[in-house]
Amino acid sequence: MLLNVMIVDDEAPIRSGIKMKVDWEELGMQVAAEASDGAEALELIERGDIDLVITDITMPVMDGLNLIRKATEINDNVKFIIISGYSEFEYARTAMKYGISEYLLKPLKEAEMRASLLAVKEEILASEPAWLKEREKREKLKIKEESLLHWLSDKSSKHVPADVVQEWKQELEANRFLIGVIKTEALDSSADDPERIRNIVLYHEIETACSEHLDHLGDGYVIKNIRPDHEFILLLHPDPANGKDKIVRALTPFAEKLEKRLGIRVTIGIGEAYDQAHAIKASYREAVYAVKERLLLGTGKAIDYSRIPVKSDKPNFNAETKLLTRFLKEKKWDKAKEHIDYLFTNVVRKKQITNHTHVHELFFEVYFMIKQFSQEEAAVHSDYAVAGSVADITDIVTGFSHMDQMVDWLYLYMESACQHLIGGQDATGKEIVYRVQAYIKEFCSSDLTLNMVSEKYHINPIYFSRIFKTYTGESFNNYITRIRMEEAKHLLETTSLRQQEISEIVGYEDPKYFSKVFKKFFGISPSQYTENRSPEMTSGKP
């Protein structure tokens, strides 16, 4: 069996050069994957079939050191060879702390590379029985889980397929079945699309936590299944008497525990319990429906399908949406944005919406209204571009956890679809945001608050908060933190100022709090960041 190798470098010619450097099959290896940065590599490692990673140190998105550190959290069986230049020796020395197997200096020499590869191969094969056993276990588990996932997603299959019966024989011998699905999101509502690097590590920790918690719920199984509407599936076997109620009561504290432990919001949808194995699909559909109800019922809890209000007829939104059409035709863009916000707030207040499908219907109604208006204008003015459809719009809607996210997305879509019309006529909101961004960059050491800035620019703070996120993609507070941290990093790289001085320059009176924020943002403390830099970089040389 050949060892699977992955090559990680941000330059394609270098990756090709490494591939051409040796005869991989002769060494008992194969290049199974390539990645252009650490984040992409981490996703491939997370799949579980990579044995050895050859990685550069300096790369965009995620560098080699962070890749090694995070990869060991996911799979500590993966071996690493790092490639470094002489100027990166301090980085290479730091990497040794993470237990890398070998490191090579640039430019690569065939003999040295062969020797390193053979040394790592010997290290892996020294524990060959354990290595083979682990790989076979991963492959069997993958086949088992894929059989169930395929069945759950196959709308035409009514009976339990033969491959599911074979792979899940032990679990299907139970006399009661219930499905739960888990949806996660960042605690900070501004981070609706958390960076994938953090997600990969978190998913691994969540999966481990779920497996541990299942011991308290009796027999069960957790499957990772990354989709817009959920990331994990729980197959549970409740007691016939009060087993389901026990599960519901146990899962809400579990969601709260994950929030405190991992800093994420977890919502769990729970389907009905059934006596027949073929009804697992029905329980799954109910669980997915239940987790989508977080739009109205809130996040961070377990939502029981049986307690969701009975579905009602689709509401008529014509009266509410008519005014939006008028604002679009009059090209009053800020008024149109405010009315979109009002639409979603008002229908909930008036109880016109009783479940998440109604929210989705209102979203689609507004979406198609904006799209139709843009296309009608393009038909009249031949030089205007026609607004196209959003290809994965259904997946986008399914992924929303709050109505605020829907409103923000519709803001951006309107701006994109009507950009040929907006053209600066009514761009006051955008202009204010750009002015505020410039102000923050110039006065990041000042005590900056949302209310203070809103007052300075004579704008409602709630409305300003929303348009700031619409135009920048991040919250006001997150933007300030990022600007301050980038400036602090720059000062650490280019000056010999003490940490306390840098802390004051970037707006933090308390150096300890500054250090805490810096570590949360970059993953290491300011002092560690300085220590990890090479002598040339520390002295401020390019």
Side-chain angles (χ1 to χ4, degrees):
M1 187 180 290
L2 299 176
L3 295 178
N4 287 330
V5 179
M6 175 165 61
I7 300 171
V8 188
D9 196 290
D10 58 322
E11 296 185 42
I14 292 179
R15 296 199 302 272
S16 298
I18 295 172
K19 283 173 66 177
M20 302 282 290
K21 187 69 72 174
V22 297
D23 185 337
W24 295 96
E25 285 195 23
E26 181 191 344
L27 296 173
M29 302 178 178
Q30 62 181 353
V31 178
E34 294 182 38
S36 59
D37 60 61
E40 185 181 348
L42 197 62
E43 290 182 4
L44 294 167
I45 290 170
E46 200 268 341
R47 295 177 187 174
D49 52 4
I50 298 297
D51 303 303
L52 168 63
V53 177
I54 302 172
T55 181
D56 190 12
I57 288 182
T58 306
M59 294 180 292
V61 186
M62 178 195 280
D63 63 26
L65 295 186
N66 275 319
L67 166 62
I68 296 167
R69 180 168 60 83
K70 291 181 182 294
T72 53
E73 296 177 28
I74 295 172
N75 185 352
D76 58 5
N77 292 317
V78 178
K79 305 300 180 185
F80 285 89
I81 294 177
I82 62 170
I83 304 168
S84 70
Y86 285 104
S87 65
E88 298 169 323
F89 179 73
E90 288 300 316
Y91 283 122
R93 191 164 67 179
T94 301
M96 299 299 286
K97 298 176 185 177
Y98 298 120
I100 65 164
S101 299
E102 297 278 326
Y103 75 87
L104 296 167
L105 288 174
K106 300 174 183 175
L108 297 180
K109 296 177 181 177
E110 181 182 349
E112 292 177 356
M113 185 172 169
R114 282 178 57 86
S116 291
L117 289 169
L118 288 171
V120 176
K121 178 183 177 182
E122 185 177 343
E123 185 181 342
I124 292 173
L125 295 183
S127 58
E128 183 174 9
W131 170 71
L132 285 172
K133 188 176 180 181
E134 181 63 26
R135 177 179 277 196
E136 288 173 3
K137 180 183 174 182
R138 289 198 304 261
E139 290 175 354
K140 286 181 179 178
L141 186 63
K142 185 177 181 181
I143 293 170
K144 176 176 180 174
E145 294 183 349
E146 284 182 350
S147 69
L148 183 67
L149 294 175
H150 178 74
W151 177 46
L152 292 178
S153 61
D154 184 0
K155 296 179 181 179
S156 62
S157 177
K158 295 181 180 179
H159 303 289
V160 184
D163 61 335
V164 175
V165 173
Q166 180 181 338
E167 298 292 339
W168 294 82
K169 182 179 179 181
Q170 182 178 342
E171 288 82 3
L172 296 182
E173 287 175 354
N175 57 11
R176 197 88 168 141
F177 307 94
L178 177 150
I179 293 288
V181 298
I182 295 177
K183 174 66 183 175
T184 66
E185 61 182 317
L187 277 177
D188 180 1
S189 61
S190 69
D192 302 328
D193 185 20
E195 59 174 320
R196 54 189 175 143
I197 301 166
R198 183 167 175 270
N199 279 353
I200 294 164
V201 177
L202 279 176
Y203 288 156
H204 179 70
E205 293 189 40
I206 294 167
E207 188 171 15
T208 302
C210 287
S211 298
E212 292 171 356
H213 194 70
L214 287 181
D215 294 337
H216 303 292
L217 300 176
D219 291 335
Y221 198 97
V222 56
I223 308 168
K224 185 171 66 176
N225 181 35
I226 310 303
R227 291 175 33 139
D229 48 19
H230 63 269
E231 292 92 8
F232 296 91
I233 297 174
L234 305 176
L235 172 59
L236 304 170
H237 307 292
D239 294 330
N242 63 346
K244 182 185 174 183
D245 291 338
K246 178 184 174 184
I247 287 171
V248 174
R249 287 196 301 270
L251 286 178
T252 291
F254 173 62
E256 294 169 352
K257 180 181 176 182
L258 281 181
E259 180 174 325
K260 291 177 182 176
R261 176 173 157 187
L262 303 177
I264 54 171
R265 184 68 46 78
V266 174
T267 308
I268 306 171
I270 303 170
E272 295 283 19
Y274 293 94
D275 298 330
Q276 301 295 321
H278 66 79
I280 288 174
K281 282 186 72 170
S283 185
Y284 171 70
R285 287 194 300 268
E286 292 159 357
V288 171
Y289 186 94
V291 84
K292 290 177 181 178
E293 283 296 294
R294 69 191 184 280
L295 270 174
L296 293 173
L297 301 179
T299 57
K301 64 179 75 172
I303 301 175
D304 182 0
Y305 177 81
S306 65
R307 298 181 183 177
I308 295 172
V310 179
K311 299 177 185 178
S312 58
D313 295 334
K314 174 186 173 182
N316 188 331
F317 300 121
N318 288 343
E320 285 78 8
T321 56
K322 198 172 289 184
L323 193 55
L324 176 60
T325 304
R326 185 183 127 195
F327 288 143
L328 289 172
K329 288 182 177 178
E330 293 176 356
K331 300 179 177 56
K332 294 181 178 178
W333 312 116
D334 282 345
K335 287 286 185 183
K337 286 181 178 180
E338 288 179 13
H339 191 65
I340 291 171
D341 192 5
Y342 168 79
L343 279 174
F344 283 85
T345 305
N346 193 51
V347 291
V348 172
R349 184 176 58 80
K350 291 170 65 176
K351 297 184 179 178
Q352 287 179 268
I353 284 178
T354 58
N355 57 62
H356 74 271
T357 60
H358 293 164
V359 184
H360 289 176
E361 284 160 359
L362 177 58
F363 174 90
F364 281 118
E365 199 156 320
V366 174
Y367 165 71
F368 286 116
M369 185 177 293
I370 295 169
K371 180 184 172 187
Q372 182 179 354
F373 166 75
S374 174
Q375 291 177 337
E376 287 174 354
E377 288 292 320
V380 175
H381 304 280
S382 57
D383 56 331
Y384 289 166
V386 179
S389 298
V390 180
D392 54 353
I393 186 67
T394 303
D395 284 347
I396 288 172
V397 174
T398 302
F400 290 134
S401 294
H402 307 280
M403 284 195 285
D404 281 353
Q405 294 170 345
M406 288 186 162
V407 172
D408 290 339
W409 191 94
L410 288 167
Y411 280 1
L412 292 173
Y413 178 70
M414 185 184 79
E415 186 173 288
S416 172
C418 304
Q419 60 181 335
H420 52 286
L421 299 169
I422 296 174
Q425 295 178 40
D426 187 17
T428 54
K430 183 184 289 188
E431 288 171 0
I432 289 173
V433 169
Y434 290 164
R435 288 175 197 162
V436 169
Q437 285 181 293
Y439 181 83
I440 291 171
K441 288 178 181 177
E442 186 174 356
F443 299 101
C444 71
S445 60
S446 305
D447 182 19
L448 299 169
T449 66
L450 179 67
N451 286 335
M452 182 270 284
V453 172
S454 299
E455 186 176 340
K456 176 178 175 62
Y457 289 94
H458 310 290
I459 189 170
N460 180 280
I462 297 174
Y463 177 62
F464 172 66
S465 175
R466 187 178 292 284
I467 64 169
F468 189 91
K469 183 186 168 188
T470 298
Y471 290 120
T472 66
E474 57 189 324
S475 72
F476 177 79
N477 288 335
N478 276 13
Y479 181 79
I480 291 175
T481 300
R482 180 169 64 79
I483 294 301
R484 285 173 168 169
M485 290 302 101
E486 288 174 354
E487 178 63 16
K489 178 170 170 280
H490 175 71
L491 291 171
L492 286 169
E493 293 173 354
T494 59
T495 73
S496 57
L497 292 170
R498 292 182 296 117
Q499 184 176 315
Q500 182 171 350
E501 294 172 312
I502 293 175
S503 173
E504 292 174 359
I505 290 172
V506 297
Y508 294 94
E509 293 181 4
D510 184 354
K512 290 183 179 178
Y513 180 67
F514 161 70
S515 180
K516 182 179 178 181
V517 175
F518 189 96
K519 186 172 183 179
K520 183 178 180 182
F521 194 86
F522 290 111
I524 56 174
S525 68
S527 56
Q528 289 173 321
Y529 183 82
T530 303
E531 288 171 8
N532 287 344
R533 299 188 59 75
S534 65
E536 293 90 342
M537 289 173 147
T538 306
S539 63
K541 295 178 183 178

